[in-house]
């Protein structure tokens, strides 16, 4: 739920696989004020894109006035990011600062949880809520990466970020979401 003063920032990551102990982050993706921002491992390295994201979140207006919105971000993206901190050449205090920021100081809305947790994939929900089908599957990202087809990754990411925004806008129109918003406003005013 968001108050009227909070801005949505759509958040997603692409990785080489599902296991942060052995596979790296390829992109950290944001959609903010209708603009897509993609931090790319092939340009800056994995630590470099983690730092770019950390710097983006350094802005106090971002931390206080934004909600990071995505699909399955609490069970995958945020956990993956936190685990990957340990595979960079950070000292313990640097890891702690980034962990504190990413885990405690950013606010998240996970659309997967709003929609019933394990009741469908992003592609399923996107199609159901917006009528738009995904152009390709995230399973192709490691293949594109291995072939150096970075433009295809960027096209996929841009499509997914725009789809996320459309999904969230559709969810906000649903009666249950509006009722939850009223309850939150009543409870926390």
């Amino acid at each position: 739920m968001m108050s009227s003063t909070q801005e949505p920032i759509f958040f997603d990551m692409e990785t080489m696989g599902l296991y942060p102990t052995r596979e790296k982050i390829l992109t950290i993706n944001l959609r903010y004020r209708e603009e897509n921002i993609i931090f790319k491992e092939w340009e800056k390295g994995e630590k470099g894109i983690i730092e770019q994201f950390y710097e983006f979140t350094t802005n106090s207006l971002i931390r206080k006035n934004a909600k990071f919105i995505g699909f399955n971000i609490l069970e995958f993206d945020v956990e993956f990011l936190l685990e990957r901190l340990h595979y960079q050449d950070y000292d313990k205090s640097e890891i702690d600062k980034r962990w504190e920021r990413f885990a405690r100081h950013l606010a998240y809305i996970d659309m997967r949880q709003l929609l019933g947790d394990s009741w469908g994939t992003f592609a399923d929900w996107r199609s159901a809520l917006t009528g738009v089908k995904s152009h390709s599957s995230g399973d192709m990202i490691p293949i594109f990466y291995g072939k150096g087809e970075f433009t295809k990754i960027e096209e996929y990411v841009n499509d997914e970020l725009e789809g996320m925004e459309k999904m969230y806008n559709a969810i906000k129109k649903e009666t249950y979401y509006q009722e939850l918003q009223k309850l939150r406003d009543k409870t926390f005013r």
Side-chain angles (χ1 to χ4, degrees):
M1 306 295 129
M2 290 188 359
S3 74
S4 59
T5 60
Q6 292 177 309
E7 287 190 88
I9 299 176
F10 297 92
F11 167 66
D12 186 41
M13 291 187 342
E14 299 305 327
T15 65
M16 278 300 283
L18 301 175
Y19 304 101
T21 55
R22 63 178 185 248
E23 295 159 327
K24 64 184 173 180
I25 300 168
L26 299 179
T27 63
I28 299 175
N29 317 308
L30 306 167
R31 183 167 176 81
Y32 181 54
R33 297 181 176 169
E34 298 184 3
E35 296 288 328
N36 292 347
I37 302 164
I38 306 171
F39 302 129
K40 306 165 196 164
E41 181 277 339
W42 55 89
E43 291 179 354
K44 301 281 185 177
E46 186 180 36
K47 183 179 181 181
I49 65 174
I50 292 171
E51 283 304 297
Q52 286 179 302
F53 182 56
Y54 182 74
E55 289 303 315
F56 178 84
T57 63
T58 298
N59 181 324
S60 64
L61 291 175
I62 297 287
R63 286 197 317 274
K64 292 178 183 174
N65 299 321
K67 292 277 187 190
F68 286 79
I69 301 168
F71 190 88
N72 200 30
I73 57 175
L74 294 177
E75 291 184 20
F76 182 74
D77 301 73
V78 174
E79 287 184 12
F80 202 103
L81 176 61
L82 294 174
E83 180 64 28
R84 290 305 299 167
L85 292 174
H86 297 282
Y87 295 88
Q88 312 311 312
D89 61 347
Y90 291 123
D91 65 33
K92 185 179 177 341
S93 68
E94 290 173 313
I95 289 173
D96 290 347
K97 276 192 239 176
R98 282 146 188 82
W99 193 94
E100 184 79 16
R101 168 83 47 80
F102 300 148
R104 293 199 176 157
H105 292 159
L106 300 181
Y108 299 98
I109 295 176
D110 193 327
M111 289 187 285
R112 182 173 183 235
Q113 293 178 347
L114 284 175
L115 295 167
D117 200 23
S118 60
W119 290 5
T121 66
F122 172 76
D124 295 336
W125 279 110
R126 178 183 180 179
S127 179
L129 290 168
T130 68
V132 176
K133 294 193 183 279
S134 296
H135 298 300
S136 64
S137 164
D139 296 342
M140 294 299 296
I141 299 301
I143 295 166
F144 294 153
Y145 182 83
K147 292 179 177 180
E149 295 176 334
F150 305 128
T151 302
K152 288 184 179 180
I153 296 172
E154 291 177 53
E155 289 169 357
Y156 174 83
V157 165
N158 285 317
D159 179 63
E160 194 169 64
L161 286 170
E162 289 168 24
M164 250 185 238
E165 183 173 29
K166 288 177 183 171
M167 266 179 62
Y168 184 67
N169 289 334
I171 290 169
K172 288 191 314 186
K173 293 176 185 172
E174 294 294 326
T175 304
Y176 82 91
Y177 187 87
Q178 293 171 7
E179 291 299 318
L180 284 171
Q181 186 74 39
K182 286 179 197 174
L183 178 61
R184 194 219 58 188
D185 290 347
K186 179 180 149 184
T187 304
F188 296 105
R189 282 195 182 194

